[in-house]
Every structure is written in structure tokens, then in C-alpha cells.
Amino acid sequence: MTQSILITGGAGFIGSHVVRRFLKKYPEYQIVNLDKLTYAGNLENLSDIDKMPNYTFERGDITDNVFLAGLFFKYNFSGIIHLAAESHVDRSISDPDAFIKTNIEGTVALLNAAKKHWNNDYEGKRFYHISTDEVYGSLGIEGLFTEETSYDPKSPYSASKASSDHLVRAYGHTYGMPIVISNCSNNYGGNQFPEKLIPLSINNIKTNKPIPIYGKGENVRDWLYVEDHADAIDLIFHEGKNAETYNIGGNNEWSNIELIHKLCEVMDRKLNRPKGDSAKLITFVKDRAGHDLRYAIDSSKLQRELGWKPSLDFEKGIELTVDWYLANEAWMNRIISGEYEKYYETQYQKR
Ligand code: NAD
Ligand code: DAU
């Protein structure tokens, strides 16, 4: 079936993996990638597939109602996979306004554009909102987030994502829009902007800079390889039930300090450094304000109902990830020059 699908935020980390997967797997779909190209958007992430005949890039802002109306008119989308967002917790702490604007107002603008364009004809339509496990707040040392866990967001980022989730559900409930939501744990893999823990640490190890660990490094995250997230998104977009929520996670918990020690081991091996060399760069710095202690996802609903499971264990995933960054030095170097340097100094000098 020919379908015109809008993917927002497709020039970002996860979005670029989703765009690539859909273009290759569904040549009969017309994929439109709408991205504002903020500091986090990078068309280089898509340079291997941007000439494919079923791909179109549109630069624009999801908060721009007039632009969105024109886009829906031009492409007559039947499906929307909404990833565009401000995504970094630290930036949300120093500058929350952009998170409110894009994550909340932008999501509402998209919902309104879809609602208006579909005009109550929801046959064959789907609005899929990509969200995060951070909406559930922070766990203690035990327990897992299920789809029934109450929302308790703690940072401006997670509060803005929680707000967008509520609005998407409200449009489903009130107007009957065919919505579906997934909440995923921490992703890792190639093409991630080096403000996030893993690519930042890989780059710092490679360039012999301190690896900044917030607080004591005791905070725990549940890491999922980005391709496995893209696989879950594909499955939920096609087979998820309307109005449902699906949790996605790696069943792969690491405290930050354990994770960084693991990464240092891999880096020592890949860079032919003596064992223990990279770990000397570990530096404990001032904690993140309001730092959530632990996230961990129960993804049994997705596994049971749609048959998904992560394809890679962490050993393999982290090898692939390190290999990707080492092989894509030019990608990294283009990012870390210019604006990134200013961000890095402001973010880390105060710690
Ligand atoms: P990212 O920051 O790498 O990419 C975000 C993309 O959105 C960028 O290309 C950026 O240019 C674009 N964008 C930002 N504001 C926009 C606007 N106003 N209009 C149009 N485009 C805009 O983010 P990511 O890590 O790939 O995350 C993608 C989505 O997945 C987000 O919604 C995030 O909340 C969610 N998520 C991320 C993770 C993770 O570990 N990275 C985990 C769970 C959920
Ligand atoms: O859980 C899903 C979320 O995962 C996504 O919704 C977010 O978009 C994504 O950024 C990520 O959020 P985190 O805050 O968990 O990711 P980050 O890579 O920023 O940090 C991971 C952990 O490492 C966290 O406990 C903070 C810590 N950290 C991070 C950085 C950047 C450090 O100790 N030092 C650092 O320099």
C-alpha cells in the first residue's frame, strides 16, 4: 500500500535510524523527514540514503502552524511518527523554555494539523508519539516502570515530555484520533550527539580529556541499542493497538560508573592502550540538579503482545558503538568544533 509518512526529528540520533529503516524496508512508502536542524539535527546522519526516491527532506519547525498546514496539504500524510524534541536533560535545566516550546507546543501544533487535515476520517491513519521512560520519574533500588506506573516527571525535559504524552492521549480520548505512544529507556549507538554520556565519554577518552561523572556515578540507566528501538518503533507503528502505550527497554541496567569502566576497557583495547589507561581519565564532578537515581523498564507488554525483543546484548552493542565513533572521526570533529565548544565549557566549567 502506498503511504505517505511524516517522520519528525529525522535528522537527530534516533530519528535518523528510524528514517533509514523505513526507507530501506518499505520502498512503497513515501517518507518525509521534517526537521528544524537545531544544534542536534545533522543531515550528515542521512547522507547514505538521502538520494533514495522515496525520501524527501523538509526543513521546518513543528511549532509553525502555517507551515504544518501546507505540509499536510502537500503530502497528505496517513501516518506520523513524532520524534522531534529538545532531548537533553542538562540543557533543560539551564534553559527550559525551548523544551516547553518544542516538546509541548510543537506536539500540540502537530496534533492540530493532523486533526484538521484528517477531518474526522481516521481510517488507515495513525499518530505515533515517541516518548521517554523519564516521564515516570525516578526508581529506588528496586522495581521497574510498567505502563501503569503513575507519571512523576522531575526535570523540565521529562515534565515537557509528560505533558506532550498527556496531550496526545487527550486528543485520542476526546477527538477519537488514532494515537499510540511508546516510552523508551536510554538509547546508545552511532550518530548520537556528544552531549550525551556515551558519545561524550568516547570522544573524551579518545582525546585524553577528563570523563565527567556526575556525583558518585551511582545513578542507573537501562541502555538499549538504537537499532532495537527503531525495530520496536516499526513494530508499534504497524501493529500497536490504538490508544495504547508500550514501554521499550533493554533489560540492561548499568550504574554510570560501571558503564564508564566497561567503556574504558573497550577503548583501551581498541586504541591499543595499556589496560586501565583510559579509566585514569574518570573525574567526579558536581551532580546534575535533581538527578534521577534509577530508570528501568518492564517491556513485557511489548514482548508478549507484539513479539519484540532486543536483538543485541550490551557487549556486542558497545563494541559496535565504539567502532562507529572511531570510524566516523570526521563526523565527530565537525560537531565538536564551533558551538559545541561553547556548550561544553559552560556545562562543565561550573562543575
Ligand atoms: P536528538 O536531540 O538527537 O534529535 C532531535 C531532533 O529533533 C533533531 O534533529 C532536531 O533538529 C529536531 N528538532 C528539535 N526541535 C525541533 C522543532 N521545533 N521542529 C522540528 N525539528 C526539531 O534526540 P533523540 O535522542 O534522537 O530523541 C528523539 C526522540 O526520542 C525525542 O522525542 C526523545 O524525547 C525520545 N527519546 C530519546 C531517548 C534517548 O535515549 N535518546 C530515549 C527515549 C526517548
Ligand atoms: O531515559 C531516556 C532518556 O535518556 C531520554 O529521554 C533522553 O532524551 C536522553 O538524553 C537520556 O537521558 P539521560 O539524562 O539519562 O542521558 P545522559 O546521556 O545525559 O546521561 C546518562 C547518565 O549519565 C545520567 O545519569 C547523567 C550521567 N552523566 C551524563 C553526562 C552528560 C554524567 O555522569 N556525566 C555527563 O557528562
Side-chain angles (χ1 to χ4, degrees), residues 3 14-15 17 27 52 87 103 113 138 147 154 163 176 196 210 213 239 241 247 253 257 267-268 288 302 339:
Q3 278 206 59
I14 303 170
H17 288 268
M52 287 180 73
S87 69
N103 299 359
S138 180
E147 288 81 0
K154 309 267 192 205
S163 183
K196 309 281 165 61
I213 305 287
E239 292 175 33
K241 288 198 203 112
N247 278 356
E253 291 182 49
I257 189 67
M267 291 294 285
D268 281 345
R288 173 183 280 175
L302 180 61
E339 203 265 340

Side-chain angles (χ1 to χ4, degrees), residues 12-14 35-36 38 41 61-62 83 87 102 131 157 161 187:
F13 167 46
I14 303 170
D35 200 295
K36 183 179 176 180
T38 66
D61 191 324
I62 57 163
L83 296 111
S87 69
T102 287
S131 192
Y157 163 68
K161 290 296 290 189
N187 285 213

